[in-house]
Amino acid sequence: MSAVLVAGLLAGYGIAMPVGAVAAYLVALTARTSPKIGAFAALGVATADGLYALIAVVGGSTITPLIEPVMLPLRWASAAVLIVLAIGGGATGIRQYRKRHTVTRTDTRPLTPARAYAALLAITMMNPMTVIYFAALVLGSDIAAAAHHLEQAAFVLAAFAASASWQLLLVGGGTLLGRTLTGSRGRLITTLVSSSLITALATHLVISAS
């Protein structure tokens, strides 16, 4: 059982730690909202990782052939959503700066924890590489063929826990950023930089699939 838990933790950190567009958006979202919103968004990302780990464990070798035909459309959809979010975040930052409003934790367009969770869950689920990553790990080991469902469940939960811990660490960085750059100009600059970074990462996502 301990070996399965370690494998799940390593798998979860392996998929979560590379900083991509979703991670950049998570940090920016936390910086301009609140730690609570960021934490729920982080759990949305971790839930997607956990679900894909579960799909890989249950589906085994049948997953990758089913995903391959729709990989490119999924990547385009994921990139499109991220770019829309980046443009929306940049536009909001510019509008708030022009109005010279003091940015507080209560936004004019409040984002609830449930909406943050659902949004990040949906965005992360659009990434087909996550399920292929877990499928490759599962097929390269004996996890899918484990005699006890308890071991399979332990792998999935460990992967979820690892991903959640990393995403929450990113939320901590977003919280620190939000508390440090409290001025209107500082928030404008960080919002525009974040939007540019998210757009660049989303564009790279599409180019790499071409």
Side-chain angles (χ1 to χ4, degrees):
M1 180 64 73
S2 59
V4 174
L5 287 173
V6 171
L9 288 172
L10 292 177
Y13 283 121
I15 193 63
M17 289 184 69
V19 177
V22 173
Y25 177 71
L26 179 61
V27 172
L29 175 67
T30 306
R32 68 172 183 263
T33 56
S34 70
K36 182 179 180 179
I37 296 294
F40 273 82
L43 292 177
V45 177
T47 300
D49 289 341
L51 287 175
Y52 271 143
L54 176 62
I55 292 171
V57 168
V58 174
S61 60
T62 63
I63 297 300
T64 301
L66 294 176
I67 291 295
E68 285 180 350
V70 294
M71 278 188 63
L72 187 57
L74 282 175
R75 285 199 174 205
W76 276 99
S78 178
V81 170
L82 289 168
I83 289 174
V84 168
L85 290 172
I87 293 174
T92 300
I94 293 173
R95 184 168 59 251
Q96 290 176 341
Y97 178 74
R98 286 178 175 175
K99 291 180 178 179
R100 295 296 195 276
H101 284 170
T102 301
V103 180
T104 63
R105 292 302 182 185
T106 56
D107 198 358
T108 56
R109 298 173 60 188
L111 180 66
T112 65
R115 286 176 56 194
Y117 175 88
L120 269 295
L121 172 62
I123 292 172
T124 310
M125 288 294 290
M126 288 182 181
N127 184 8
M129 291 307 299
T130 305
V131 70
I132 292 178
Y133 166 83
F134 280 115
L137 285 178
V138 170
L139 293 174
S141 65
D142 58 352
I143 296 171
H148 301 290
H149 293 301
L150 184 60
E151 294 182 1
Q152 297 178 351
F155 174 84
V156 173
L157 290 175
F160 167 79
S163 177
S165 64
W166 181 256
Q167 308 305 334
L168 290 172
L169 180 63
L170 293 178
V171 167
T175 301
L176 179 61
L177 183 65
R179 290 176 178 173
T180 303
L181 301 172
T182 55
S184 59
R185 179 170 297 180
R187 285 189 175 273
L188 173 64
I189 292 173
T190 54
T191 297
L192 293 178
V193 170
S194 172
S195 296
S196 300
L197 176 60
I198 294 169
T199 302
L201 291 169
T203 303
H204 180 267
L205 180 68
V206 174
I207 294 176
S208 63
S210 303

